[in-house]
Amino acid sequence: QDMPFEKLVEELQPERALKHAPLFQVMFVLQNAPMPALELPGLTLDPLPVAGDSAKFDLTLSMEETSDGLKGLLEYNRDLFDEAAIGRLISHFRNLLESVAADPAQRLSELRLLDEDERRQLLVEWNDTGVEYEHDSCLHELFERQVEQTPEAVAVSFVEEDGRVSVLTYRELNERANQLARHLSKRGVGAETVAGILAARTPETLVGVLGVLKAGGAYLPLDPSYPSERLGYMLADARARVLLMQQRHTDKLPAHGAEVIYPDACGEAWRGESAENLPRRAAPENLAYIIYTSGSTGTPKGVMVSHRGLSNLSRAEASAFDLKAGSRVLQFASWSFDASVFETVMTLMAGATLCLAPTGAELPGDAFTRFLREQSIDTIALTPTTLAAVPHAELPALQTVITGGEPCPPELVTRWADDGRRFFNVYGPTETTTWATFARCVGDGRTPSIGRPVANTQIYLLDKRLQPVPVGVVGELHIGGVALARGYLNRPELTAERFIPNPFGDEPGARLYRTGDTARYREGGEIEFVGRVDRQVKVRGFRIELGEIEAALAAHASVRECAVVVREDAPGGDRRIVAYVRLDNGASAPPSGEWRGFLKAKLPDYMIPSAFVVLDSMPLTAGGKLDRRALPAPQQGTIDSGEGLLSSPARTPTEEVLAGIWAEVLGLERVGVADNFFDFGGHSLLATQLVSRVRELFRVELPLRDFFNAPTV
């Protein structure tokens, strides 16, 4: 790649080629060349025509030097290439040769493949996404306009623990948020200040989000299931001024500097405040929220999103999904993930109803399906893993299915895009205000693409020199446009590394976000997701930096060296996180439960490895680096080093059958009756499979909540 072309030609001269023979072979093929003159008496040479309707190899290029210049022939396997792809290949090769002829001293990596028409198509035509949107408005101001249009329409529907359905109209939701906003303003919440919200999926949480925005502040969602240490870090890093939380979560937090407000206990403190809309306290460029994602350095990083990106989001969603007053949208995602922003914005800006998934129905299963049916949900947005676990029951009201967060298998489209349903595959990192591309998919058996850029968004597939790659060639996916986040809170170096100047933008200060994802263009401009350039992974839709898990595990006293990978060799193809540990000198392997407990104090449950494997030494490459591909698969029956699987054998036929179900779902040989399902690699989606198997065999209804409270045989 770094060798000038003239030097390459010199190296390939016949008298020097022998020294390269062990490394490669070079073959020159003469096609339709003049017959050589041979002086052999009695011997006649005649050309033998060769039929060209069969390719001997997948791709063969034959070149001939003539008096008119170079001529070439391409033979190709039509099962792998179509005529358009070969035409592009020939065009790129011609561009390459012209570039060589123009300047033979260029490095190979600098040679030109694209002509001007194709370059314009990639950079300009396929990024022509500009549309008008409310660029001068904040999100809560757009909500207030919707309140004026449909004040008595139901904005939020929620099933209480006793089964009663409670609702808030747009007017009621707006008035409660206005009252809370005035109370927060008196507590110092304003533009560029942060207010934490530690709450579950309830209407009060939505009131809190809107109240913070109306006060001019930015909200910081905090998941009560997160470890106390992680919550404390996020509050301190964001310098939250106040913290809205329910009293039952008081013991979740370490000491912190935020003023605590309990809406469920002292709501009357602001019920006397005016319910009228507040004057503007924030501008579109001000901060709207901070969401923390996994960080490769061992600590989570806060992504800062402004109101302008949210305003564009509401416009793009309305155009793509055709939501309207009367639509009923599922709110399923945790508030700590930006998928909740996606669900909420598209609902409230359309005058539709946001239906909060209740406790007990927040995981795929019969209760979840029953909730969708009874609440007449017509629009859902789930990760492919979650969607695959949803029983395919009769759901006559369901009309729109949206999936994203990880690659979508084609069979999922075929399964759900029937009965006239619309199926969308969306893509977008948190750094681009929830989404950047979308595709309307049909069940044709092809891997669904991630589509095209949404409104006011640009997508560039670039090589390492930040130059566009041709159609069909893999490049790193870069995103530009109005929806880009500001960057990472308190991480200027990382912000500069990931948010770079846009070499193709005409606006001053235009930037691109380097996603770390790889993709390629299909014919016509559809984008096909390929993979990652780094070690970030997606497991069940969760974005995880494996380096953060390794940093946390390495802090344990018994660990000298560790590596964490994602494996797909479990039964059923389930992706699982596996940790490999080399013990410190003199240390003995503790029960894996000790390692799990240590990590649970630092990491969310979805980042805890399902298996720990102790190694005498880590496999290395010839260059002395860790060879992750050589790490062995955990063996059935030895998935947890230092801790026997059979804690106690089954004592009754019922326990024996249940233990068999446990082992089948977990992919283990045996499970004892006191073994915790979640300590042996189980997670929420596997739990739904287990409950389903129990129902089939025993004809009993086992509530998922009961299983989480008692996850042993």
Side-chain angles (χ1 to χ4, degrees):
Q1 283 283 326
D2 292 329
M3 183 181 293
F5 188 76
E6 289 178 330
K7 180 69 172 175
L8 177 66
V9 173
E10 180 184 348
E11 289 293 313
L12 293 180
Q13 294 304 310
E15 64 270 16
R16 307 189 62 178
L18 281 178
K19 73 174 186 178
H20 294 299
L23 299 180
F24 62 87
Q25 293 179 325
V26 179
M27 180 173 65
F28 295 88
V29 179
L30 297 178
Q31 187 74 22
N32 297 324
M35 293 299 301
L38 298 178
E39 299 292 336
L40 295 174
L43 181 65
T44 301
L45 298 179
D46 291 309
L48 177 66
V50 179
D53 57 356
S54 177
K56 300 178 182 62
F57 303 99
D58 290 338
L59 189 66
T60 303
L61 170 64
S62 304
M63 295 297 296
E64 171 193 358
E65 187 173 3
T66 73
S67 58
D68 297 326
L70 290 173
K71 291 185 178 180
L73 174 71
L74 263 182
E75 292 181 310
Y76 60 93
N77 183 341
R78 287 186 292 185
D79 291 335
L80 299 179
F81 303 96
D82 58 23
E83 187 173 347
I86 293 299
R88 284 197 310 271
L89 192 62
I90 293 173
S91 174
H92 296 154
F93 187 49
R94 184 173 61 246
N95 293 337
L96 181 74
L97 296 181
E98 290 174 349
S99 184
V100 167
D103 183 4
Q106 290 183 89
R107 295 182 183 276
L108 297 181
S109 58
E110 297 172 349
L111 298 177
R112 178 175 56 85
L113 290 179
L114 299 174
D115 59 34
E116 288 306 315
D117 288 342
E118 189 173 4
R119 183 179 175 88
R120 175 177 174 78
Q121 182 184 58
L122 295 171
L123 297 180
V124 180
E125 294 175 12
W126 287 350
N127 280 317
D128 185 13
T129 61
V131 297
E132 289 295 325
Y133 73 103
E134 302 284 352
H135 61 276
D136 289 329
S137 298
C138 295
L139 180 67
H140 57 279
E141 293 171 334
L142 298 178
F143 170 70
E144 290 167 359
R145 294 176 198 173
Q146 185 60 50
V147 173
E148 294 175 359
Q149 297 178 32
T150 58
E152 301 308 318
V154 175
V156 185
S157 174
F158 180 66
V159 179
E160 305 284 354
E161 292 189 5
D162 59 7
R164 292 183 300 107
V165 178
S166 61
V167 300
L168 286 177
T169 66
Y170 274 81
R171 176 183 54 78
E172 291 169 335
L173 177 59
N174 188 52
E175 289 177 350
R176 289 195 188 183
N178 286 336
Q179 291 173 319
L180 175 58
R182 285 185 163 82
H183 185 75
L184 292 175
S185 294
K186 295 177 180 178
R187 296 294 183 273
V189 176
E192 300 300 312
T193 60
V194 177
I197 301 178
L198 181 70
R201 189 186 295 105
T202 65
E204 286 72 26
T205 302
L206 186 55
V207 171
V209 167
L210 288 171
V212 171
L213 296 179
K214 284 170 173 282
Y219 73 93
L220 167 66
L222 301 164
D223 193 321
S225 68
Y226 281 5
S228 173
E229 180 179 322
R230 192 178 187 87
L231 294 173
Y233 171 82
M234 293 159 66
L235 279 171
D237 188 56
R239 298 184 180 91
R241 182 181 293 272
V242 301
L243 172 62
L244 294 166
M245 63 181 295
Q246 296 157 319
Q247 281 189 307
R248 66 175 182 270
H249 298 314
T250 302
D251 60 348
K252 291 282 185 182
L253 293 173
H256 58 86
E259 177 186 354
V260 178
I261 299 175
Y262 298 104
D264 54 345
C266 56
E268 296 302 324
W270 63 79
R271 290 293 166 83
E273 299 282 0
S274 169
E276 297 298 317
N277 290 335
L278 286 74
R280 169 174 276 203
R281 296 175 181 269
E285 61 271 14
N286 284 132
L287 197 60
Y289 64 79
I290 299 173
I291 283 184
Y292 278 80
T293 67
S294 181
S296 59
T297 59
T299 54
K301 55 184 182 293
V303 181
M304 302 183 291
V305 176
S306 69
H307 281 274
R308 181 164 284 119
L310 291 172
S311 299
N312 183 67
L313 171 67
S314 67
R315 168 65 177 78
E317 288 181 321
S319 173
F321 307 125
D322 194 29
L323 290 175
K324 51 188 177 298
S327 296
R328 297 179 64 81
V329 182
L330 174 69
Q331 201 285 294
F332 182 83
S334 163
W335 290 103
S336 290
F337 294 97
D338 62 348
S340 64
V341 180
F342 182 91
E343 297 164 335
T344 304
V345 169
M346 72 175 175
T347 304
L348 297 185
M349 301 307 131
T353 300
L354 191 66
C355 302
L356 309 186
T359 303
E362 65 273 84
L363 292 172
D366 286 347
F368 177 75
T369 306
R370 187 165 54 250
F371 172 76
L372 295 180
R373 186 168 48 247
E374 292 175 352
Q375 294 298 310
S376 299
I377 305 294
D378 56 49
T379 303
I380 60 174
L382 303 172
T383 65
T385 301
T386 304
L387 187 61
V390 176
H392 196 213
E394 288 294 325
L395 297 169
L398 185 60
Q399 294 301 314
T400 302
V401 176
I402 306 167
T403 193
E406 57 186 344
C408 177
E411 56 269 19
L412 202 59
V413 183
T414 302
R415 178 182 169 195
W416 285 96
D418 59 1
D419 302 328
R421 290 195 188 108
R422 302 188 306 161
F423 190 103
F424 293 94
N425 189 31
V426 304
Y427 162 85
T430 303
E431 288 84 348
T432 60
T433 316
T434 80
W435 72 326
T437 71
F438 78 107
R440 173 83 181 269
C441 304
V442 295
D444 57 5
R446 296 182 65 196
T447 298
S449 77
I450 59 173
R452 299 173 179 272
V454 302
N456 301 305
T457 299
Q458 293 80 47
I459 300 293
Y460 303 99
L461 304 185
L462 307 178
D463 62 19
K464 292 181 179 179
R465 297 181 302 114
L466 298 182
Q467 292 302 306
V469 297
V471 172
V473 177
V474 175
E476 184 177 356
L477 200 153
H478 294 67
I479 304 175
V482 301
L484 259 61
R486 285 190 190 174
Y488 300 109
L489 181 66
N490 302 325
R491 304 282 292 277
E493 298 85 1
L494 184 60
T495 298
E497 175 189 335
R498 306 306 298 182
F499 293 85
I500 63 175
N502 184 351
F504 316 110
D506 5 7
E507 294 185 11
R511 300 174 303 153
L512 292 181
Y513 171 63
R514 297 177 54 197
T515 66
D517 291 326
T518 57
R520 59 175 155 244
Y521 277 115
R522 293 177 177 174
E523 284 287 343
E526 294 278 316
I527 301 169
E528 178 184 333
F529 179 85
V530 175
R532 290 288 301 177
V533 299
D534 56 20
R535 297 185 57 222
Q536 185 187 110
V537 297
K538 287 288 187 76
V539 179
R540 303 188 302 279
F542 295 109
R543 173 175 162 179
I544 298 172
E545 295 279 4
L546 297 176
E548 184 174 358
I549 305 175
E550 290 175 345
L553 182 57
H556 191 278
S558 67
V559 177
R560 181 175 185 178
E561 186 181 3
C562 65
V564 178
V565 300
V566 171
R567 305 193 68 102
E568 298 186 41
D569 45 18
D574 184 49
R575 304 191 85 203
R576 56 176 175 165
I577 302 172
V578 178
Y580 296 85
V581 176
R582 180 187 174 199
L583 297 174
D584 200 10
N585 290 337
S588 57
S592 62
E594 178 179 322
W595 278 331
R596 283 197 176 90
F598 180 78
L599 292 179
K600 282 184 176 180
K602 301 172 178 293
L603 303 172
D605 287 343
Y606 63 83
M607 294 178 69
I608 306 300
S610 64
F612 295 81
V613 179
V614 175
L615 300 176
D616 293 333
S617 61
M618 293 289 183
L620 302 177
T621 66
K625 296 182 179 180
L626 175 66
D627 188 353
R628 297 183 184 276
R629 294 184 178 183
L631 292 168
Q635 299 299 310
Q636 288 190 356
T638 60
I639 226 169
D640 289 271
S641 300
E643 183 175 41
L645 275 174
L646 200 62
S647 59
S648 52
R651 299 158 298 184
T652 67
T654 297
E655 287 187 348
E656 187 173 350
V657 173
L658 288 174
I661 297 174
W662 254 246
E664 176 187 349
V665 172
L666 291 171
L668 303 177
E669 291 180 352
R670 299 175 299 167
V671 171
V673 296
D675 289 329
N676 188 305
F677 178 81
F678 299 103
D679 283 348
F680 287 82
H683 51 75
S684 57
L685 295 181
L686 287 180
T688 64
Q689 297 179 24
L690 186 143
V691 168
S692 177
R693 294 281 290 123
V694 170
R695 184 186 304 109
E696 292 173 4
L697 290 177
F698 289 94
R699 303 295 179 187
V700 298
E701 185 67 34
L702 174 63
L704 203 56
R705 185 191 302 179
D706 290 352
F707 177 74
F708 273 85
N709 291 334
T712 68
V713 171

